[in-house]
Amino acid sequence: MKKIILTAAAVFALTFANAQSKDKKESSEGFSKGDVYLTGTANYQTTKTGDAKSNGLTLAPGIGYFLSENLALEGNLSISSGTTNSGGVGAQDFKTTGFGIAAGVKYFWTPASKFSLSVGGKISYNSDKFDNGVATSTGKTIGLNVPVGLHYFVSNNFAITSTWGGLGYSSNDNGGNGADKTDRINFGLDMSSISFGLIYKL
């Protein structure tokens, strides 16, 4: 009788282990070495102070590739557009359009699970054109950033992602033509530096 019970227990244990292994193989949520993914964020903001108001929209699609179980390369493009009205008597409209590229690496903790945390390093270049209706100028910015991200898979292929700007450095030539450069080091702790987006794993 004892042998029968032990045999039944062994069969049950093997069956359960096999089922768990099968479920794990069939579930492809999370990331693994060799995965390619598309990502994108969209930011819109508007501000108003008295009669003065401004708004801006930025779209940033990107693509990533996992070199190993935890490390991914990622590249992004960004397109932005915004308007500002100075308000008051003789109010003027200022328009801004921009284009940028960025590339970097990200290290993921628990990449194979539904939920993961990442930290990375990114270098970026942006060109922004300013137009006040009378004259135009173009400013160029080079930046270094250490973004922190949270990612959650809602299905096998789609994940919701949030990115916090973290520590950053930028250098802006303010349109060139002899203008003084603006160098900035930033360590954001407020919610305004967080952006949300989607990841689609191919």
mmCIF file of all heavy atoms in Angstrom, residues 16-72:
data_model
loop_
_atom_site.group_PDB
_atom_site.id
_atom_site.type_symbol
_atom_site.label_atom_id
_atom_site.label_comp_id
_atom_site.label_asym_id
_atom_site.label_seq_id
_atom_site.Cartn_x
_atom_site.Cartn_y
_atom_site.Cartn_z
ATOM 1 N N PHE A 16 2.678 17.490 -12.379
ATOM 2 C CA PHE A 16 2.574 18.895 -12.007
ATOM 3 C C PHE A 16 3.782 19.687 -12.515
ATOM 4 O O PHE A 16 3.644 20.777 -13.065
ATOM 5 C CB PHE A 16 2.478 19.026 -10.488
ATOM 6 C CG PHE A 16 2.370 20.446 -10.010
ATOM 7 C CD1 PHE A 16 1.169 21.133 -10.110
ATOM 8 C CD2 PHE A 16 3.475 21.096 -9.466
ATOM 9 C CE1 PHE A 16 1.074 22.444 -9.664
ATOM 10 C CE2 PHE A 16 3.388 22.403 -9.031
ATOM 11 C CZ PHE A 16 2.185 23.072 -9.133
ATOM 12 N N ALA A 17 4.980 19.115 -12.353
ATOM 13 C CA ALA A 17 6.199 19.791 -12.809
ATOM 14 C C ALA A 17 6.194 19.964 -14.319
ATOM 15 O O ALA A 17 6.605 20.999 -14.849
ATOM 16 C CB ALA A 17 7.432 18.993 -12.367
ATOM 17 N N ASN A 18 5.723 18.942 -15.027
ATOM 18 C CA ASN A 18 5.663 19.016 -16.487
ATOM 19 C C ASN A 18 4.671 20.082 -16.944
ATOM 20 O O ASN A 18 4.918 20.812 -17.906
ATOM 21 C CB ASN A 18 5.260 17.651 -17.055
ATOM 22 C CG ASN A 18 5.261 17.642 -18.575
ATOM 23 O OD1 ASN A 18 6.291 17.852 -19.199
ATOM 24 N ND2 ASN A 18 4.101 17.387 -19.175
ATOM 25 N N ALA A 19 3.541 20.160 -16.245
ATOM 26 C CA ALA A 19 2.525 21.161 -16.591
ATOM 27 C C ALA A 19 3.059 22.566 -16.356
ATOM 28 O O ALA A 19 2.841 23.475 -17.167
ATOM 29 C CB ALA A 19 1.259 20.920 -15.765
ATOM 30 N N GLN A 20 3.761 22.752 -15.231
ATOM 31 C CA GLN A 20 4.332 24.055 -14.939
ATOM 32 C C GLN A 20 5.355 24.448 -15.987
ATOM 33 O O GLN A 20 5.409 25.581 -16.435
ATOM 34 C CB GLN A 20 5.002 24.038 -13.561
ATOM 35 C CG GLN A 20 4.039 23.947 -12.396
ATOM 36 C CD GLN A 20 3.224 25.211 -12.268
ATOM 37 O OE1 GLN A 20 2.116 25.279 -12.798
ATOM 38 N NE2 GLN A 20 3.739 26.207 -11.591
ATOM 39 N N SER A 21 6.199 23.481 -16.384
ATOM 40 C CA SER A 21 7.211 23.743 -17.403
ATOM 41 C C SER A 21 6.571 24.092 -18.734
ATOM 42 O O SER A 21 7.003 24.990 -19.439
ATOM 43 C CB SER A 21 8.116 22.517 -17.561
ATOM 44 O OG SER A 21 9.071 22.730 -18.577
ATOM 45 N N LYS A 22 5.487 23.372 -19.074
ATOM 46 C CA LYS A 22 4.786 23.625 -20.335
ATOM 47 C C LYS A 22 4.169 25.004 -20.345
ATOM 48 O O LYS A 22 4.260 25.746 -21.326
ATOM 49 C CB LYS A 22 3.712 22.559 -20.551
ATOM 50 C CG LYS A 22 2.988 22.691 -21.886
ATOM 51 C CD LYS A 22 1.970 21.577 -22.059
ATOM 52 C CE LYS A 22 1.251 21.719 -23.402
ATOM 53 N NZ LYS A 22 0.229 20.666 -23.571
ATOM 54 N N ASP A 23 3.525 25.397 -19.210
ATOM 55 C CA ASP A 23 2.911 26.710 -19.117
ATOM 56 C C ASP A 23 3.952 27.799 -19.246
ATOM 57 O O ASP A 23 3.728 28.831 -19.876
ATOM 58 C CB ASP A 23 2.175 26.870 -17.776
ATOM 59 C CG ASP A 23 0.890 26.037 -17.736
ATOM 60 O OD1 ASP A 23 0.428 25.639 -18.824
ATOM 61 O OD2 ASP A 23 0.378 25.791 -16.623
ATOM 62 N N LYS A 24 5.121 27.563 -18.638
ATOM 63 C CA LYS A 24 6.197 28.551 -18.696
ATOM 64 C C LYS A 24 6.700 28.729 -20.119
ATOM 65 O O LYS A 24 6.987 29.827 -20.571
ATOM 66 C CB LYS A 24 7.337 28.122 -17.761
ATOM 67 C CG LYS A 24 8.415 29.180 -17.604
ATOM 68 C CD LYS A 24 9.434 28.756 -16.576
ATOM 69 C CE LYS A 24 10.484 29.838 -16.397
ATOM 70 N NZ LYS A 24 11.495 29.471 -15.391
ATOM 71 N N LYS A 25 6.798 27.630 -20.859
ATOM 72 C CA LYS A 25 7.271 27.707 -22.237
ATOM 73 C C LYS A 25 6.250 28.399 -23.126
ATOM 74 O O LYS A 25 6.587 29.140 -24.034
ATOM 75 C CB LYS A 25 7.565 26.294 -22.767
ATOM 76 C CG LYS A 25 8.801 25.657 -22.152
ATOM 77 C CD LYS A 25 9.030 24.263 -22.703
ATOM 78 C CE LYS A 25 10.268 23.622 -22.096
ATOM 79 N NZ LYS A 25 10.471 22.246 -22.594
ATOM 80 N N GLU A 26 4.942 28.099 -22.865
ATOM 81 C CA GLU A 26 3.903 28.672 -23.714
ATOM 82 C C GLU A 26 3.718 30.158 -23.445
ATOM 83 O O GLU A 26 3.324 30.912 -24.307
ATOM 84 C CB GLU A 26 2.578 27.926 -23.487
ATOM 85 C CG GLU A 26 2.576 26.504 -24.049
ATOM 86 C CD GLU A 26 1.276 25.792 -23.745
ATOM 87 O OE1 GLU A 26 0.465 26.338 -22.954
ATOM 88 O OE2 GLU A 26 1.069 24.698 -24.291
ATOM 89 N N SER A 27 3.992 30.604 -22.210
ATOM 90 C CA SER A 27 3.869 32.014 -21.881
ATOM 91 C C SER A 27 5.133 32.747 -22.311
ATOM 92 O O SER A 27 6.231 32.359 -21.946
ATOM 93 C CB SER A 27 3.663 32.181 -20.374
ATOM 94 O OG SER A 27 3.653 33.547 -20.044
ATOM 95 N N SER A 28 4.973 33.779 -23.103
ATOM 96 C CA SER A 28 6.139 34.503 -23.598
ATOM 97 C C SER A 28 6.127 35.945 -23.116
ATOM 98 O O SER A 28 6.693 36.821 -23.752
ATOM 99 C CB SER A 28 6.171 34.457 -25.133
ATOM 100 O OG SER A 28 4.984 35.002 -25.679
ATOM 101 N N GLU A 29 5.448 36.204 -21.989
ATOM 102 C CA GLU A 29 5.478 37.537 -21.421
ATOM 103 C C GLU A 29 6.880 37.830 -20.904
ATOM 104 O O GLU A 29 7.590 36.945 -20.453
ATOM 105 C CB GLU A 29 4.456 37.655 -20.295
ATOM 106 C CG GLU A 29 3.016 37.582 -20.788
ATOM 107 C CD GLU A 29 2.027 37.605 -19.638
ATOM 108 O OE1 GLU A 29 2.440 37.338 -18.496
ATOM 109 O OE2 GLU A 29 0.843 37.891 -19.890
ATOM 110 N N GLY A 30 7.279 39.090 -20.979
ATOM 111 C CA GLY A 30 8.622 39.459 -20.559
ATOM 112 C C GLY A 30 9.598 39.408 -21.725
ATOM 113 O O GLY A 30 9.221 39.168 -22.872
ATOM 114 N N PHE A 31 10.876 39.659 -21.420
ATOM 115 C CA PHE A 31 11.917 39.720 -22.439
ATOM 116 C C PHE A 31 12.934 38.592 -22.265
ATOM 117 O O PHE A 31 13.121 38.065 -21.171
ATOM 118 C CB PHE A 31 12.660 41.056 -22.347
ATOM 119 C CG PHE A 31 11.819 42.260 -22.631
ATOM 120 C CD1 PHE A 31 11.490 43.148 -21.616
ATOM 121 C CD2 PHE A 31 11.352 42.522 -23.906
ATOM 122 C CE1 PHE A 31 10.732 44.277 -21.868
ATOM 123 C CE2 PHE A 31 10.586 43.631 -24.175
ATOM 124 C CZ PHE A 31 10.274 44.517 -23.150
ATOM 125 N N SER A 32 13.633 38.282 -23.359
ATOM 126 C CA SER A 32 14.727 37.318 -23.315
ATOM 127 C C SER A 32 15.743 37.701 -24.388
ATOM 128 O O SER A 32 15.485 38.569 -25.237
ATOM 129 C CB SER A 32 14.211 35.893 -23.545
ATOM 130 O OG SER A 32 13.570 35.791 -24.801
ATOM 131 N N LYS A 33 16.900 37.063 -24.345
ATOM 132 C CA LYS A 33 17.975 37.355 -25.299
ATOM 133 C C LYS A 33 17.487 37.193 -26.734
ATOM 134 O O LYS A 33 16.831 36.224 -27.073
ATOM 135 C CB LYS A 33 19.158 36.424 -25.041
ATOM 136 C CG LYS A 33 20.337 36.669 -25.961
ATOM 137 C CD LYS A 33 21.484 35.724 -25.649
ATOM 138 C CE LYS A 33 22.655 35.958 -26.601
ATOM 139 N NZ LYS A 33 23.779 35.035 -26.331
ATOM 140 N N GLY A 34 17.812 38.176 -27.586
ATOM 141 C CA GLY A 34 17.433 38.133 -28.986
ATOM 142 C C GLY A 34 16.100 38.794 -29.304
ATOM 143 O O GLY A 34 15.759 38.955 -30.479
ATOM 144 N N ASP A 35 15.347 39.202 -28.276
ATOM 145 C CA ASP A 35 14.054 39.860 -28.514
ATOM 146 C C ASP A 35 14.246 41.229 -29.157
ATOM 147 O O ASP A 35 15.177 41.968 -28.821
ATOM 148 C CB ASP A 35 13.288 40.041 -27.202
ATOM 149 C CG ASP A 35 12.559 38.780 -26.773
ATOM 150 O OD1 ASP A 35 12.436 37.865 -27.617
ATOM 151 O OD2 ASP A 35 12.114 38.707 -25.618
ATOM 152 N N VAL A 36 13.348 41.551 -30.080
ATOM 153 C CA VAL A 36 13.296 42.874 -30.703
ATOM 154 C C VAL A 36 11.963 43.500 -30.312
ATOM 155 O O VAL A 36 10.928 42.835 -30.317
ATOM 156 C CB VAL A 36 13.401 42.786 -32.240
ATOM 157 C CG1 VAL A 36 13.271 44.173 -32.874
ATOM 158 C CG2 VAL A 36 14.720 42.144 -32.645
ATOM 159 N N TYR A 37 11.980 44.768 -29.954
ATOM 160 C CA TYR A 37 10.739 45.421 -29.548
ATOM 161 C C TYR A 37 10.652 46.839 -30.108
ATOM 162 O O TYR A 37 11.662 47.492 -30.383
ATOM 163 C CB TYR A 37 10.608 45.461 -28.022
ATOM 164 C CG TYR A 37 11.685 46.249 -27.307
ATOM 165 C CD1 TYR A 37 11.546 47.609 -27.044
ATOM 166 C CD2 TYR A 37 12.857 45.617 -26.865
ATOM 167 C CE1 TYR A 37 12.524 48.327 -26.383
ATOM 168 C CE2 TYR A 37 13.835 46.324 -26.191
ATOM 169 C CZ TYR A 37 13.668 47.683 -25.953
ATOM 170 O OH TYR A 37 14.640 48.398 -25.302
ATOM 171 N N LEU A 38 9.419 47.281 -30.307
ATOM 172 C CA LEU A 38 9.135 48.657 -30.699
ATOM 173 C C LEU A 38 8.594 49.386 -29.488
ATOM 174 O O LEU A 38 7.839 48.824 -28.692
ATOM 175 C CB LEU A 38 8.096 48.693 -31.824
ATOM 176 C CG LEU A 38 8.441 47.940 -33.112
ATOM 177 C CD1 LEU A 38 7.280 48.039 -34.098
ATOM 178 C CD2 LEU A 38 9.715 48.475 -33.740
ATOM 179 N N THR A 39 8.989 50.632 -29.332
ATOM 180 C CA THR A 39 8.524 51.408 -28.194
ATOM 181 C C THR A 39 8.158 52.815 -28.635
ATOM 182 O O THR A 39 8.588 53.274 -29.703
ATOM 183 C CB THR A 39 9.606 51.457 -27.093
ATOM 184 O OG1 THR A 39 9.091 52.155 -25.959
ATOM 185 C CG2 THR A 39 10.861 52.175 -27.592
ATOM 186 N N GLY A 40 7.370 53.483 -27.850
ATOM 187 C CA GLY A 40 6.978 54.838 -28.207
ATOM 188 C C GLY A 40 6.354 55.564 -27.033
ATOM 189 O O GLY A 40 5.669 54.962 -26.205
ATOM 190 N N THR A 41 6.635 56.871 -26.949
ATOM 191 C CA THR A 41 6.020 57.714 -25.929
ATOM 192 C C THR A 41 5.415 58.937 -26.598
ATOM 193 O O THR A 41 5.840 59.352 -27.680
ATOM 194 C CB THR A 41 7.039 58.176 -24.873
ATOM 195 O OG1 THR A 41 8.082 58.920 -25.516
ATOM 196 C CG2 THR A 41 7.643 56.989 -24.137
ATOM 197 N N ALA A 42 4.417 59.513 -25.951
ATOM 198 C CA ALA A 42 3.773 60.736 -26.434
ATOM 199 C C ALA A 42 3.566 61.648 -25.234
ATOM 200 O O ALA A 42 3.029 61.222 -24.206
ATOM 201 C CB ALA A 42 2.445 60.413 -27.100
ATOM 202 N N ASN A 43 4.017 62.882 -25.346
ATOM 203 C CA ASN A 43 3.865 63.861 -24.264
ATOM 204 C C ASN A 43 3.177 65.112 -24.782
ATOM 205 O O ASN A 43 3.543 65.640 -25.843
ATOM 206 C CB ASN A 43 5.233 64.253 -23.693
ATOM 207 C CG ASN A 43 5.883 63.140 -22.920
ATOM 208 O OD1 ASN A 43 5.229 62.468 -22.138
ATOM 209 N ND2 ASN A 43 7.172 62.926 -23.147
ATOM 210 N N TYR A 44 2.172 65.563 -24.051
ATOM 211 C CA TYR A 44 1.495 66.827 -24.391
ATOM 212 C C TYR A 44 1.410 67.657 -23.122
ATOM 213 O O TYR A 44 1.060 67.137 -22.058
ATOM 214 C CB TYR A 44 0.085 66.578 -24.921
ATOM 215 C CG TYR A 44 -0.678 67.862 -25.181
ATOM 216 C CD1 TYR A 44 -0.441 68.618 -26.336
ATOM 217 C CD2 TYR A 44 -1.604 68.349 -24.257
ATOM 218 C CE1 TYR A 44 -1.109 69.805 -26.567
ATOM 219 C CE2 TYR A 44 -2.281 69.540 -24.483
ATOM 220 C CZ TYR A 44 -2.030 70.256 -25.641
ATOM 221 O OH TYR A 44 -2.690 71.444 -25.877
ATOM 222 N N GLN A 45 1.753 68.916 -23.232
ATOM 223 C CA GLN A 45 1.656 69.773 -22.060
ATOM 224 C C GLN A 45 1.152 71.155 -22.457
ATOM 225 O O GLN A 45 1.409 71.635 -23.573
ATOM 226 C CB GLN A 45 2.996 69.888 -21.343
ATOM 227 C CG GLN A 45 4.106 70.543 -22.167
ATOM 228 C CD GLN A 45 5.403 70.649 -21.374
ATOM 229 O OE1 GLN A 45 5.667 69.872 -20.473
ATOM 230 N NE2 GLN A 45 6.224 71.630 -21.719
ATOM 231 N N THR A 46 0.422 71.776 -21.562
ATOM 232 C CA THR A 46 -0.082 73.122 -21.798
ATOM 233 C C THR A 46 0.020 73.919 -20.508
ATOM 234 O O THR A 46 -0.214 73.386 -19.412
ATOM 235 C CB THR A 46 -1.548 73.081 -22.294
ATOM 236 O OG1 THR A 46 -2.007 74.425 -22.520
ATOM 237 C CG2 THR A 46 -2.455 72.389 -21.296
ATOM 238 N N THR A 47 0.398 75.180 -20.611
ATOM 239 C CA THR A 47 0.519 76.047 -19.446
ATOM 240 C C THR A 47 -0.114 77.401 -19.752
ATOM 241 O O THR A 47 -0.168 77.840 -20.906
ATOM 242 C CB THR A 47 1.996 76.269 -19.049
ATOM 243 O OG1 THR A 47 2.695 76.862 -20.158
ATOM 244 C CG2 THR A 47 2.667 74.966 -18.686
ATOM 245 N N LYS A 48 -0.591 78.051 -18.692
ATOM 246 C CA LYS A 48 -1.189 79.378 -18.843
ATOM 247 C C LYS A 48 -0.846 80.214 -17.630
ATOM 248 O O LYS A 48 -1.035 79.789 -16.489
ATOM 249 C CB LYS A 48 -2.704 79.275 -18.993
ATOM 250 C CG LYS A 48 -3.378 80.622 -19.261
ATOM 251 C CD LYS A 48 -4.869 80.482 -19.496
ATOM 252 C CE LYS A 48 -5.497 81.845 -19.790
ATOM 253 N NZ LYS A 48 -6.958 81.748 -20.028
ATOM 254 N N THR A 49 -0.300 81.411 -17.886
ATOM 255 C CA THR A 49 0.027 82.357 -16.829
ATOM 256 C C THR A 49 -0.562 83.707 -17.222
ATOM 257 O O THR A 49 -0.040 84.374 -18.130
ATOM 258 C CB THR A 49 1.545 82.481 -16.626
ATOM 259 O OG1 THR A 49 2.105 81.187 -16.376
ATOM 260 C CG2 THR A 49 1.855 83.417 -15.465
ATOM 261 N N GLY A 50 -1.642 84.089 -16.575
ATOM 262 C CA GLY A 50 -2.318 85.313 -16.992
ATOM 263 C C GLY A 50 -2.847 85.152 -18.410
ATOM 264 O O GLY A 50 -3.552 84.186 -18.715
ATOM 265 N N ASP A 51 -2.487 86.083 -19.283
ATOM 266 C CA ASP A 51 -2.899 85.994 -20.686
ATOM 267 C C ASP A 51 -1.927 85.174 -21.524
ATOM 268 O O ASP A 51 -2.219 84.825 -22.667
ATOM 269 C CB ASP A 51 -3.018 87.403 -21.302
ATOM 270 C CG ASP A 51 -4.155 88.200 -20.693
ATOM 271 O OD1 ASP A 51 -5.153 87.571 -20.293
ATOM 272 O OD2 ASP A 51 -4.041 89.440 -20.611
ATOM 273 N N ALA A 52 -0.761 84.910 -20.979
ATOM 274 C CA ALA A 52 0.245 84.137 -21.719
ATOM 275 C C ALA A 52 -0.068 82.637 -21.621
ATOM 276 O O ALA A 52 -0.450 82.137 -20.566
ATOM 277 C CB ALA A 52 1.638 84.404 -21.171
ATOM 278 N N LYS A 53 0.084 81.948 -22.732
ATOM 279 C CA LYS A 53 -0.182 80.510 -22.722
ATOM 280 C C LYS A 53 0.721 79.805 -23.727
ATOM 281 O O LYS A 53 1.196 80.403 -24.701
ATOM 282 C CB LYS A 53 -1.646 80.222 -23.053
ATOM 283 C CG LYS A 53 -2.129 80.811 -24.360
ATOM 284 C CD LYS A 53 -3.628 80.563 -24.542
ATOM 285 C CE LYS A 53 -4.130 81.197 -25.833
ATOM 286 N NZ LYS A 53 -5.593 80.977 -26.020
ATOM 287 N N SER A 54 0.959 78.536 -23.483
ATOM 288 C CA SER A 54 1.807 77.735 -24.383
ATOM 289 C C SER A 54 1.352 76.294 -24.361
ATOM 290 O O SER A 54 0.732 75.834 -23.398
ATOM 291 C CB SER A 54 3.279 77.830 -23.978
ATOM 292 O OG SER A 54 3.479 77.256 -22.700
ATOM 293 N N ASN A 55 1.645 75.592 -25.435
ATOM 294 C CA ASN A 55 1.357 74.158 -25.496
ATOM 295 C C ASN A 55 2.390 73.486 -26.375
ATOM 296 O O ASN A 55 3.009 74.124 -27.244
ATOM 297 C CB ASN A 55 -0.067 73.884 -26.013
ATOM 298 C CG ASN A 55 -0.278 74.434 -27.411
ATOM 299 O OD1 ASN A 55 0.202 73.875 -28.391
ATOM 300 N ND2 ASN A 55 -1.000 75.550 -27.523
ATOM 301 N N GLY A 56 2.589 72.200 -26.152
ATOM 302 C CA GLY A 56 3.579 71.464 -26.932
ATOM 303 C C GLY A 56 3.281 69.982 -26.978
ATOM 304 O O GLY A 56 2.698 69.420 -26.044
ATOM 305 N N LEU A 57 3.651 69.357 -28.079
ATOM 306 C CA LEU A 57 3.450 67.923 -28.283
ATOM 307 C C LEU A 57 4.758 67.288 -28.737
ATOM 308 O O LEU A 57 5.438 67.818 -29.624
ATOM 309 C CB LEU A 57 2.369 67.673 -29.330
ATOM 310 C CG LEU A 57 2.142 66.213 -29.768
ATOM 311 C CD1 LEU A 57 1.579 65.391 -28.619
ATOM 312 C CD2 LEU A 57 1.198 66.152 -30.971
ATOM 313 N N THR A 58 5.110 66.163 -28.138
ATOM 314 C CA THR A 58 6.312 65.421 -28.531
ATOM 315 C C THR A 58 5.973 63.953 -28.747
ATOM 316 O O THR A 58 5.329 63.327 -27.893
ATOM 317 C CB THR A 58 7.408 65.519 -27.452
ATOM 318 O OG1 THR A 58 7.750 66.886 -27.234
ATOM 319 C CG2 THR A 58 8.659 64.768 -27.891
ATOM 320 N N LEU A 59 6.378 63.403 -29.884
ATOM 321 C CA LEU A 59 6.219 61.982 -30.196
ATOM 322 C C LEU A 59 7.606 61.380 -30.329
ATOM 323 O O LEU A 59 8.483 61.945 -30.998
ATOM 324 C CB LEU A 59 5.439 61.798 -31.496
ATOM 325 C CG LEU A 59 4.019 62.375 -31.541
ATOM 326 C CD1 LEU A 59 3.422 62.207 -32.941
ATOM 327 C CD2 LEU A 59 3.140 61.707 -30.509
ATOM 328 N N ALA A 60 7.817 60.217 -29.703
ATOM 329 C CA ALA A 60 9.153 59.607 -29.706
ATOM 330 C C ALA A 60 9.068 58.096 -29.918
ATOM 331 O O ALA A 60 9.022 57.336 -28.944
ATOM 332 C CB ALA A 60 9.884 59.928 -28.413
ATOM 333 N N PRO A 61 9.045 57.637 -31.183
ATOM 334 C CA PRO A 61 9.084 56.194 -31.449
ATOM 335 C C PRO A 61 10.509 55.659 -31.334
ATOM 336 O O PRO A 61 11.483 56.406 -31.493
ATOM 337 C CB PRO A 61 8.582 56.106 -32.891
ATOM 338 C CG PRO A 61 9.011 57.403 -33.508
ATOM 339 C CD PRO A 61 8.907 58.426 -32.411
ATOM 340 N N GLY A 62 10.635 54.348 -31.050
ATOM 341 C CA GLY A 62 11.966 53.767 -30.918
ATOM 342 C C GLY A 62 11.960 52.271 -31.158
ATOM 343 O O GLY A 62 10.909 51.648 -31.317
ATOM 344 N N ILE A 63 13.158 51.686 -31.191
ATOM 345 C CA ILE A 63 13.315 50.244 -31.379
ATOM 346 C C ILE A 63 14.434 49.747 -30.474
ATOM 347 O O ILE A 63 15.409 50.474 -30.217
ATOM 348 C CB ILE A 63 13.615 49.909 -32.862
ATOM 349 C CG1 ILE A 63 13.619 48.398 -33.080
ATOM 350 C CG2 ILE A 63 14.928 50.549 -33.315
ATOM 351 C CD1 ILE A 63 13.660 48.010 -34.552
ATOM 352 N N GLY A 64 14.275 48.527 -29.951
ATOM 353 C CA GLY A 64 15.280 47.972 -29.060
ATOM 354 C C GLY A 64 15.602 46.523 -29.385
ATOM 355 O O GLY A 64 14.805 45.826 -30.027
ATOM 356 N N TYR A 65 16.767 46.079 -28.939
ATOM 357 C CA TYR A 65 17.221 44.698 -29.181
ATOM 358 C C TYR A 65 17.970 44.201 -27.955
ATOM 359 O O TYR A 65 18.875 44.885 -27.445
ATOM 360 C CB TYR A 65 18.132 44.636 -30.408
ATOM 361 C CG TYR A 65 18.768 43.283 -30.623
ATOM 362 C CD1 TYR A 65 18.020 42.221 -31.123
ATOM 363 C CD2 TYR A 65 20.114 43.061 -30.310
ATOM 364 C CE1 TYR A 65 18.585 40.966 -31.308
ATOM 365 C CE2 TYR A 65 20.693 41.812 -30.500
ATOM 366 C CZ TYR A 65 19.920 40.773 -30.996
ATOM 367 O OH TYR A 65 20.487 39.529 -31.169
ATOM 368 N N PHE A 66 17.609 42.995 -27.473
ATOM 369 C CA PHE A 66 18.257 42.417 -26.300
ATOM 370 C C PHE A 66 19.536 41.680 -26.693
ATOM 371 O O PHE A 66 19.500 40.646 -27.352
ATOM 372 C CB PHE A 66 17.305 41.479 -25.569
ATOM 373 C CG PHE A 66 16.478 42.174 -24.535
ATOM 374 C CD1 PHE A 66 15.354 42.894 -24.895
ATOM 375 C CD2 PHE A 66 16.850 42.156 -23.195
ATOM 376 C CE1 PHE A 66 14.602 43.567 -23.951
ATOM 377 C CE2 PHE A 66 16.115 42.821 -22.228
ATOM 378 C CZ PHE A 66 14.981 43.539 -22.615
ATOM 379 N N LEU A 67 20.676 42.235 -26.267
ATOM 380 C CA LEU A 67 21.968 41.608 -26.523
ATOM 381 C C LEU A 67 22.171 40.384 -25.643
ATOM 382 O O LEU A 67 22.854 39.441 -26.020
ATOM 383 C CB LEU A 67 23.095 42.608 -26.260
ATOM 384 C CG LEU A 67 23.149 43.844 -27.162
ATOM 385 C CD1 LEU A 67 24.180 44.821 -26.621
ATOM 386 C CD2 LEU A 67 23.480 43.451 -28.585
ATOM 387 N N SER A 68 21.594 40.426 -24.439
ATOM 388 C CA SER A 68 21.693 39.315 -23.491
ATOM 389 C C SER A 68 20.380 39.235 -22.734
ATOM 390 O O SER A 68 19.417 39.923 -23.059
ATOM 391 C CB SER A 68 22.873 39.534 -22.535
ATOM 392 O OG SER A 68 22.637 40.655 -21.702
ATOM 393 N N GLU A 69 20.334 38.409 -21.705
ATOM 394 C CA GLU A 69 19.101 38.254 -20.936
ATOM 395 C C GLU A 69 18.673 39.562 -20.270
ATOM 396 O O GLU A 69 17.494 39.799 -20.054
ATOM 397 C CB GLU A 69 19.282 37.174 -19.862
ATOM 398 C CG GLU A 69 19.490 35.776 -20.431
ATOM 399 C CD GLU A 69 18.280 35.282 -21.208
ATOM 400 O OE1 GLU A 69 17.140 35.605 -20.819
ATOM 401 O OE2 GLU A 69 18.475 34.584 -22.220
ATOM 402 N N ASN A 70 19.632 40.412 -19.916
ATOM 403 C CA ASN A 70 19.312 41.620 -19.154
ATOM 404 C C ASN A 70 19.629 42.929 -19.856
ATOM 405 O O ASN A 70 19.117 43.977 -19.461
ATOM 406 C CB ASN A 70 20.068 41.609 -17.812
ATOM 407 C CG ASN A 70 19.679 40.453 -16.928
ATOM 408 O OD1 ASN A 70 20.268 39.382 -17.021
ATOM 409 N ND2 ASN A 70 18.690 40.654 -16.075
ATOM 410 N N LEU A 71 20.479 42.902 -20.885
ATOM 411 C CA LEU A 71 20.972 44.137 -21.494
ATOM 412 C C LEU A 71 20.392 44.352 -22.890
ATOM 413 O O LEU A 71 20.442 43.462 -23.729
ATOM 414 C CB LEU A 71 22.501 44.099 -21.574
ATOM 415 C CG LEU A 71 23.202 45.412 -21.905
ATOM 416 C CD1 LEU A 71 22.998 46.417 -20.776
ATOM 417 C CD2 LEU A 71 24.695 45.172 -22.129
ATOM 418 N N ALA A 72 19.847 45.558 -23.118
ATOM 419 C CA ALA A 72 19.243 45.882 -24.415
ATOM 420 C C ALA A 72 19.823 47.173 -24.977
ATOM 421 O O ALA A 72 20.143 48.112 -24.232
ATOM 422 C CB ALA A 72 17.734 46.022 -24.277
#
